[in-house]
Amino acid sequence: MELDHILKIIDKVSESGVTSFYYEEGNLKLSVKKKEKQVVAAAPVQMAALPAETVSVPLAAPAAPSQEAALPAGNMVESPLVGTFYSAPNPDSAAFVKVGDSVKKGQVLGIIEAMKLMNEVESEYDGVVKAILVENEQMVEYGQPLFIIG
């Protein structure tokens, strides 16, 4: 893997909500980790073309917590696992829910793909969708807030 590919991976991890990423192929080992204020990516590379070294690159900090203060009151629906969030069953379909929709307990709100398996995210509450906190095709982490139901 060339350095520009490693930098692209670092950029993608930086843009996503992922806080830790590890990749290993042959002699190549790549580990990228984010911290709250100080974020460091370490990429020990052991290939014939490149000498073994550690690369430290500062990444962009996660979204500011001030966004949380502006959230409407209600019950939080959190991600049950790590994966890619989808707001609709397929790209040509409408989203499962929109802000302002009434939902019942057990109703599907979205899908999280993990290891090529599609997992439905169901509402744990009856109420109205007050906020959708993730975008379609966004990487989500376990316990990350996805929806607010009021």
Side-chain angles (χ1 to χ4, degrees):
M1 181 179 292
E2 295 186 22
L3 184 59
D4 62 333
H5 288 100
I6 293 171
L7 293 175
K8 285 180 184 178
I9 290 172
I10 291 170
D11 286 340
K12 290 295 182 186
V13 170
S14 175
E15 295 170 4
S16 72
V18 176
T19 58
S20 179
F21 174 82
Y22 181 77
Y23 176 78
E24 183 174 347
E25 181 180 334
N27 291 335
L28 172 69
K29 295 178 183 177
L30 176 66
S31 177
V32 180
K33 295 180 183 179
K34 283 193 222 180
K35 294 182 181 176
E36 285 183 29
K37 298 282 182 188
Q38 178 185 7
V39 183
V40 177
V45 181
Q46 299 174 354
M47 296 172 49
L50 298 172
E53 60 185 74
T54 300
V55 178
S56 294
V57 180
L59 301 176
S66 63
Q67 183 181 11
E68 291 179 11
L71 296 177
N75 298 308
M76 195 85 62
V77 176
E78 298 176 343
S79 175
L81 66 157
V82 175
T84 304
F85 174 81
Y86 294 101
S87 61
N90 62 57
D92 299 328
S93 298
F96 287 107
V97 293
K98 303 181 298 286
V99 173
D101 287 354
S102 292
V103 295
K104 299 280 185 197
K105 184 175 181 177
Q107 181 176 340
V108 176
L109 303 174
I111 296 173
I112 297 178
E113 177 188 3
M115 298 178 64
K116 303 295 181 196
L117 296 175
M118 301 298 181
N119 302 277
E120 293 181 340
V121 176
E122 297 179 350
S123 177
E124 301 166 16
Y125 314 97
D126 291 338
V128 175
V129 177
K130 297 287 186 180
I132 300 174
L133 307 174
V134 291
E135 295 181 22
N136 190 43
E137 299 183 7
Q138 179 180 334
M139 289 294 300
V140 296
E141 295 184 27
Y142 173 78
Q144 179 178 341
L146 303 176
F147 298 91
I148 296 179
I149 310 293

